[in-house]
Amino acid sequence: MIWNQDLAQLEIICKQLYEATDPAQRLQAEKALIELTESPECLSKCQLLLERGTDLDTVGGISVCPECSLDSQSLTSYAQLLAATCLTKLVTRVNPLPLQQRIDVRNYILNYLASCPKLEPFVIQALVHLIAKITKMGWFEVRKDKLAFREVIADVTKFLQGSVEHCIIGVMILAELTQEMNMADSTRPLSKQRRTATSFRDVCLREIFTLACTLLREVLAKPLNFQDQTQHSLVMHLLKLVLNCLSFDFIGNSADESTDDLCTVQIPTNWRAVLLDMSTLQLYFDLYHSIPPSLSPLALSCLAQLASVRRSLFSNTERVTFLTRLMKGIQRILENPQVMT
C-alpha cells in the first residue's frame, strides 16, 4: 500500500508539473522531481510508474512489484513521461548507473515499447530518447568480452517486422540515435564525442540509410492511403531518418562553421554503390509525387542533400549520369507546379 500511495502522489506531481498554471505549484513539482531523481528509490519508482496500467511482468532482468497492476486507471501519460525523464537523468549524470543496470534499463524500455506500441507520441519520443542516450554513452563499453550496445539494428528488427505502430517506433529509435550521435554533448570531451560519432558512422550509418530506403520502397510499392494516420506517420519518420543520415557530420567539421565544406555532403567512399544506383535518387522523386504536401518538404530536403554529395565520390562519367537524372527529376517537379502548392 505504501508503494501505491507514493505512486499516486507522484502522479499528482506529474499533473502539476505539466499542467499547473500557478508558478509556485510548478516550482514545487520541479523540486519534487529533483528529489525523485536523487533518491535511491528512483529507478524502482520509475519502473512502477511505467508498469501501472500494463500487464507486463519482469522484463529485461528488472523485477516488478506485484502490486503495480492495481489502480491501473490512474496511470497517466504524464507519469510515463516523468519516468522516462528521470531515467534519462539517471543514465546521463556524471556518475551514471552501473553498466549492467543500464543494459537492463535499455532492454526493459525496448520490451516495454514492444508491448505498448500505442502510447502517447510524446511518451514514445521520451522513451526513444532514453534508448539513444544509453546507447551513445555506452558505445565503447564492454561486457563479457562483447561491446554492450552495438546491436542497434538487431534490436530494432523486431519492431520493423511487427505492426505499423511497431515499425514506426523502430524507425524513431534509429532516427533519434542517428541524431543523438551527431550532436555535441557539453558533458563529454569533444574528442570522445567525435570518436563515438565516427565509430557509429563506420559501423551502422550506411546500413541504417539503406534500410530506410528499402522500407520506403516497400511503402511506395503498396497502395498509399495517407488518410490513415499511421501510414502518414511512418513515411514522415522514415524521411526524417533518411534526412538525419544524409545530414550527418561525416568528417567532423561542424565545429568550424567557417569552412566551405559545410555545404557539401561528405559521403564516405563505401557509400558509392548506394549513390551510383540511380534508383536511390529516383526513389525520392517518386515519393515527392506520391505523398501529400505536408510531407513533400521532407522529400525535397532529402533530394537537396543528395544533390550536395561531394564531387569526388564520382568519376566524370558517373557525375554526368547522376546530374542528368537529378535535373530531369527537378524539371518534372517544375512542370507540375500544382504538386508544390
Side-chain angles (χ1 to χ4, degrees), residues 88-89 91-94 96 129-130 132-139 176-197 249 254-255:
T88 302
K89 290 181 181 294
V91 301
T92 57
R93 62 189 180 185
V94 177
H129 181 65
L130 169 58
K133 281 287 188 183
I134 294 175
T135 304
K136 178 180 178 179
M137 297 192 70
W139 190 251
E176 183 69 21
L177 180 59
T178 302
Q179 180 172 292
E180 182 65 34
M181 286 291 190
N182 201 35
M183 292 176 62
D185 187 341
S186 60
T187 63
R188 307 171 73 214
L190 184 59
S191 59
K192 186 173 183 179
Q193 154 67 24
R194 193 59 229 163
R195 181 168 168 250
T196 302
D249 184 11
S254 61

Side-chain angles (χ1 to χ4, degrees), residues 131-280:
I131 292 171
K133 281 287 188 183
I134 294 175
T135 304
K136 178 180 178 179
M137 297 192 70
W139 190 251
F140 291 107
E141 294 191 70
V142 177
R143 178 179 176 273
K144 296 181 179 179
D145 299 323
K146 182 179 179 181
L147 290 161
F149 298 106
R150 292 293 180 91
E151 301 298 323
V152 176
I153 296 175
D155 291 335
V156 171
T157 297
K158 63 181 179 182
F159 290 94
L160 301 181
Q161 295 175 345
S163 65
V164 177
E165 288 85 359
H166 284 98
C167 190
I168 291 171
I169 292 173
V171 173
M172 288 178 68
I173 292 172
L174 294 177
E176 183 69 21
L177 180 59
T178 302
Q179 180 172 292
E180 182 65 34
M181 286 291 190
N182 201 35
M183 292 176 62
D185 187 341
S186 60
T187 63
R188 307 171 73 214
L190 184 59
S191 59
K192 186 173 183 179
Q193 154 67 24
R194 193 59 229 163
R195 181 168 168 250
T196 302
T198 300
S199 175
F200 175 78
R201 177 201 68 191
D202 294 341
V203 173
C204 295
L205 193 57
R206 180 177 178 273
E207 187 174 357
I208 290 174
F209 175 72
T210 54
L211 177 59
C213 291
T214 298
L215 291 172
L216 282 169
R217 287 189 180 95
E218 291 176 359
V219 170
L220 200 57
K222 299 175 183 178
L224 296 175
N225 175 22
F226 288 104
Q227 298 303 314
D228 180 352
Q229 187 57 40
T230 57
Q231 192 170 58
H232 185 282
S233 182
L234 176 58
V235 174
M236 177 188 71
H237 286 294
L238 279 168
L239 288 171
K240 286 183 177 180
L241 172 56
V242 171
L243 189 56
N244 286 353
C245 290
L246 293 173
S247 303
F248 201 82
D249 184 11
F250 290 101
I251 60 173
N253 62 5
S254 61
D256 180 11
E257 296 184 357
S258 64
T259 178
D260 293 335
D261 288 339
L262 285 175
C263 297
T264 303
V265 179
Q266 301 289 343
I267 293 288
T269 303
N270 65 350
W271 288 46
R272 258 178 57 83
V274 180
L275 273 298
L276 288 177
D277 182 353
M278 291 299 110
S279 67
T280 300

